[in-house]
Amino acid sequence: MSVAENLSQVNASIRSAEAAVNRAPDSVRLVAVSKFHPAEAVIEAIDAGQTLFGENRVQEAFAKFSDIASRGYHFDLHIIGTLQRNKVRDAVKIASCIESVDRIVVLDEIEKQCAKINKTIDVFLEVHTGEETKAGFADSTELEKAVSLCAQGSYPHIVLKGLMTMAPNTDDTEQIRNSFRTLRTLRDTFSEKYAIALPELSMGMSGDYPIAIAEGATIVRVGTAIFGARQ
């Protein structure tokens, strides 16, 4: 099937998952994960109405989406892969959001690079809720310190929008559900404690997004089901 047909199916599935748990229609946004796929595939998705994309690798994303922008296309790009400090400069130039902030030093660097170009950027803090190999803040003290720094205005060019996680790679749906519940609970706790609006929960991928939607996801990240196997 074409990218447009795949997108239609994925969006219909998201709407169905919303309805199944009495979520409002269109309360969940789709990030189309376009890593390893060419600019032409992204443009096909844009032509089909998709404007929000996710990329893991900054170098690939910067080249690809700079090309797409030069052709006159409009999009929102989220960086969803682990972000090294030396890649932050290019990341903030091309992206509207960094979902994968997992260390305070990365927040420091994002603020520094955004200040240079007078740009304000959205960020999510990535939380380690699954197995040992997954990225994200594993230390709850550091995670809370990052929330506190954002809440008190330490980063004038950063808007903390919410939290992100990757569920454990398992067939145990209860483990997956617990991972998503952990993220939602943390969000609610921080939002109340620091009087900060954290509207976004980015959780759920191709294999588990219906569970994520049931647990409160506002963003799901889907790649293969839209673009096919990586190229």
Side-chain angles (χ1 to χ4, degrees):
M1 290 202 300
S2 69
V3 168
E5 290 169 322
N6 291 340
L7 263 172
S8 180
Q9 282 199 353
V10 170
N11 277 310
S13 175
I14 291 170
R15 302 290 84 83
S16 176
E18 288 171 340
V21 292
N22 297 314
R23 294 278 302 272
D26 301 317
S27 57
V28 179
R29 291 189 293 154
L30 169 64
V31 169
V33 181
S34 49
K35 63 178 180 180
F36 305 127
H37 294 279
E40 285 68 29
V42 174
I43 288 169
E44 191 177 343
I46 293 173
D47 287 339
Q50 179 68 24
T51 58
L52 178 54
F53 297 90
E55 288 275 339
N56 290 59
R57 299 180 177 185
V58 173
Q59 201 166 355
E60 177 191 351
F62 188 79
K64 184 191 306 179
F65 282 86
S66 295
D67 174 29
I68 292 166
S70 75
R71 303 193 210 181
Y73 289 93
H74 299 283
F75 54 81
D76 280 319
L77 177 64
H78 288 199
I79 300 298
I80 60 174
T82 301
L83 181 60
Q84 302 301 325
R85 287 175 66 191
N86 64 347
K87 303 292 186 186
V88 168
R89 184 182 66 175
D90 283 346
V92 302
K93 284 180 181 175
I94 196 69
S96 56
C97 177
I98 311 289
E99 289 199 18
S100 47
V101 175
D102 60 358
R103 288 162 294 149
I104 288 172
V105 293
V106 175
L107 279 173
D108 294 340
E109 188 66 22
I110 291 171
E111 172 60 31
K112 176 183 170 183
Q113 297 300 333
C114 282
K116 287 181 180 178
I117 59 174
N118 194 28
K119 177 175 180 175
T120 300
I121 197 165
D122 293 343
V123 303
F124 300 171
L125 301 180
E126 183 175 2
V127 183
H128 174 91
T129 61
E131 66 212 48
E132 293 309 312
T133 56
K134 298 299 184 190
F137 280 94
D139 184 286
S140 59
T141 303
E142 279 293 288
L143 172 64
E144 183 157 356
K145 183 180 177 184
V147 175
S148 174
L149 286 167
C150 290
Q152 68 193 29
S154 297
Y155 304 114
H157 295 86
I158 291 174
V159 180
L160 178 59
K161 299 291 281 189
L163 305 179
M164 181 265 238
T165 198
M166 294 177 68
N169 184 19
T170 176
D171 293 328
D172 185 339
T173 56
E174 208 47 44
Q175 271 193 55
I176 294 168
R177 191 176 297 278
N178 285 338
S179 170
F180 297 148
R181 283 180 176 165
T182 296
L183 195 74
R184 188 185 71 214
T185 300
L186 279 169
R187 188 276 306 273
D188 294 347
T189 299
F190 291 146
S191 186
E192 183 175 355
K193 182 173 181 178
Y194 293 99
I196 183 173
L198 298 171
E200 302 285 10
L201 289 175
S202 177
M203 56 190 195
M205 297 165 67
S206 291
D208 55 27
Y209 68 79
I211 302 172
I213 290 170
E215 295 302 329
T218 63
I219 288 177
V220 295
R221 309 181 302 272
V222 180
T224 304
I226 297 167
F227 294 106
R230 62 180 58 175
Q231 297 182 11

